[in-house]
Amino acid sequence: QVQLVESGGGLVQAGGSLRLSCAASGSIRMIDDMGWYRQAPGKRELVATITSGGSTNYADSVKGRFTISRDNAKNTVDLQMNSLKPEDTAVYYCNGLIVVTIVQKTAYWGQGTQVTVSS
Protein backbone atom coordinates (compact mmCIF):
# COMPACT_ATOMS: atom_id res chain seq x y z
CA GLN A 1 0.00 0.00 0.00
CA VAL A 2 2.94 2.33 0.67
CA GLN A 3 6.09 2.76 -1.34
CA LEU A 4 9.05 5.11 -1.46
CA VAL A 5 10.62 5.87 -4.81
CA GLU A 6 14.06 7.46 -5.03
CA SER A 7 15.71 9.33 -7.84
CA GLY A 8 18.68 11.55 -8.51
CA GLY A 9 21.65 9.24 -8.14
CA GLY A 10 24.44 9.11 -10.65
CA LEU A 11 28.10 9.66 -11.37
CA VAL A 12 29.72 12.92 -10.37
CA GLN A 13 33.25 14.22 -10.02
CA ALA A 14 34.70 15.07 -6.64
CA GLY A 15 33.59 18.51 -5.56
CA GLY A 16 30.37 18.28 -7.49
CA SER A 17 26.77 18.15 -6.31
CA LEU A 18 23.77 15.89 -6.57
CA ARG A 19 20.24 16.17 -5.29
CA LEU A 20 18.43 13.00 -4.28
CA SER A 21 14.68 12.89 -4.01
CA CYS A 22 12.32 10.39 -2.43
CA ALA A 23 8.57 10.38 -2.86
CA ALA A 24 6.19 8.43 -0.67
CA SER A 25 2.85 7.30 -1.99
CA GLY A 26 -0.01 5.06 -0.98
CA SER A 27 -2.30 4.84 2.00
CA ILE A 28 -0.50 7.29 4.25
CA ARG A 29 -2.11 8.77 7.29
CA MET A 30 0.97 10.67 8.43
CA ILE A 31 4.73 10.49 8.10
CA ASP A 32 6.85 10.85 11.21
CA ASP A 33 10.61 10.91 10.91
CA MET A 34 12.31 10.43 7.58
CA GLY A 35 15.94 9.83 6.83
CA TRP A 36 18.65 8.92 4.40
CA TYR A 37 21.04 6.01 4.85
CA ARG A 38 23.94 4.90 2.75
CA GLN A 39 25.60 1.56 2.32
CA ALA A 40 29.09 0.91 1.03
CA PRO A 41 31.33 -2.15 1.31
CA GLY A 42 31.92 -2.78 4.99
CA LYS A 43 29.88 0.17 6.16
CA ARG A 44 26.30 1.24 6.68
CA GLU A 45 25.65 4.76 7.92
CA LEU A 46 22.76 6.97 8.88
CA VAL A 47 23.37 10.12 6.87
CA ALA A 48 20.62 12.49 7.94
CA THR A 49 17.20 12.57 9.55
CA ILE A 50 14.36 15.03 9.60
CA THR A 51 11.32 15.04 11.84
CA SER A 52 7.80 15.84 10.78
CA GLY A 53 8.35 19.31 12.19
CA GLY A 54 11.55 19.88 10.24
CA SER A 55 14.23 19.31 12.88
CA THR A 56 17.35 17.81 11.32
CA ASN A 57 20.38 15.78 12.34
CA TYR A 58 23.44 14.84 10.32
CA ALA A 59 26.29 12.42 10.50
CA ASP A 60 29.56 14.15 11.26
CA SER A 61 30.96 12.94 7.96
CA VAL A 62 28.43 14.97 5.96
CA LYS A 63 27.66 17.89 8.25
CA GLY A 64 28.07 21.17 6.45
CA ARG A 65 27.97 19.52 3.03
CA PHE A 66 24.58 17.77 2.91
CA THR A 67 21.14 19.20 3.56
CA ILE A 68 18.00 17.18 4.17
CA SER A 69 14.59 18.71 3.57
CA ARG A 70 10.99 17.61 3.23
CA ASP A 71 7.73 18.76 1.75
CA ASN A 72 4.90 17.42 3.87
CA ALA A 73 2.27 18.42 1.33
CA LYS A 74 3.98 16.36 -1.37
CA ASN A 75 5.25 13.58 0.92
CA THR A 76 8.78 14.00 -0.36
CA VAL A 77 12.19 14.17 1.26
CA ASP A 78 15.30 15.42 -0.51
CA LEU A 79 19.00 15.25 0.16
CA GLN A 80 21.12 17.99 -1.34
CA MET A 81 24.72 16.81 -1.50
CA ASN A 82 27.46 19.37 -2.11
CA SER A 83 31.24 19.14 -2.13
CA LEU A 84 31.04 15.44 -2.80
CA LYS A 85 34.00 13.23 -1.99
CA PRO A 86 34.93 9.76 -3.24
CA GLU A 87 34.18 8.52 0.27
CA ASP A 88 30.54 9.46 -0.32
CA THR A 89 30.23 6.72 -2.92
CA ALA A 90 27.46 4.38 -1.78
CA VAL A 91 23.94 3.24 -2.38
CA TYR A 92 21.63 5.77 -0.77
CA TYR A 93 18.31 4.72 0.71
CA CYS A 94 15.50 6.86 2.01
CA ASN A 95 13.44 5.71 4.96
CA GLY A 96 10.17 6.87 6.38
CA LEU A 97 8.35 5.99 9.57
CA ILE A 98 4.83 6.06 8.24
CA VAL A 99 1.60 5.98 10.20
CA VAL A 100 -0.45 3.61 8.09
CA THR A 101 -3.37 3.37 10.51
CA ILE A 102 -4.22 4.92 13.85
CA VAL A 103 -2.59 1.97 15.64
CA GLN A 104 0.19 1.03 13.24
CA LYS A 105 3.50 2.62 12.23
CA THR A 106 5.72 0.98 9.68
CA ALA A 107 9.20 1.79 8.47
CA TYR A 108 9.39 1.82 4.68
CA TRP A 109 12.48 1.91 2.53
CA GLY A 110 13.15 3.10 -0.96
CA GLN A 111 14.80 0.89 -3.53
CA GLY A 112 18.11 2.69 -3.27
CA THR A 113 19.98 4.87 -5.71
CA GLN A 114 23.66 4.61 -6.56
CA VAL A 115 25.90 7.61 -6.01
CA THR A 116 29.40 7.33 -7.40
CA VAL A 117 31.95 10.09 -6.86
CA SER A 118 35.07 9.91 -8.98
CA SER A 119 38.44 11.45 -8.15
Side-chain angles (χ1 to χ4, degrees):
Q1 296 295 106
V2 177
Q3 65 176 2
L4 306 181
V5 179
E6 301 170 338
S7 62
L11 175 64
V12 65
Q13 293 183 349
S17 298
L18 285 174
R19 187 176 184 89
L20 307 183
S21 182
C22 175
S25 62
S27 300
I28 300 171
R29 181 177 176 85
M30 186 177 67
I31 303 179
D32 275 339
D33 294 358
M34 302 188 76
W36 287 91
Y37 295 75
R38 64 186 182 186
Q39 184 168 312
K43 187 176 182 179
R44 184 176 183 273
E45 181 180 30
L46 174 62
V47 177
T49 61
I50 184 167
T51 69
S52 60
S55 297
T56 60
N57 284 284
Y58 298 92
D60 289 340
S61 58
V62 306
K63 191 173 298 182
R65 300 187 297 119
F66 291 10
T67 302
I68 187 172
S69 61
R70 66 189 291 167
D71 187 329
N72 292 331
K74 298 180 179 179
N75 288 333
T76 59
V77 58
D78 290 354
L79 185 69
Q80 178 66 46
M81 304 184 295
N82 298 326
S83 301
L84 284 163
K85 305 174 181 179
E87 303 92 276
D88 296 319
T89 296
V91 179
Y92 285 71
Y93 299 88
C94 68
N95 168 265
L97 182 60
I98 298 176
V99 181
V100 180
T101 70
I102 295 176
V103 298
Q104 181 178 350
K105 292 182 180 180
T106 303
Y108 286 89
W109 293 85
Q111 79 283 1
T113 184
Q114 176 70 49
V115 172
T116 302
V117 184
S118 62
S119 301

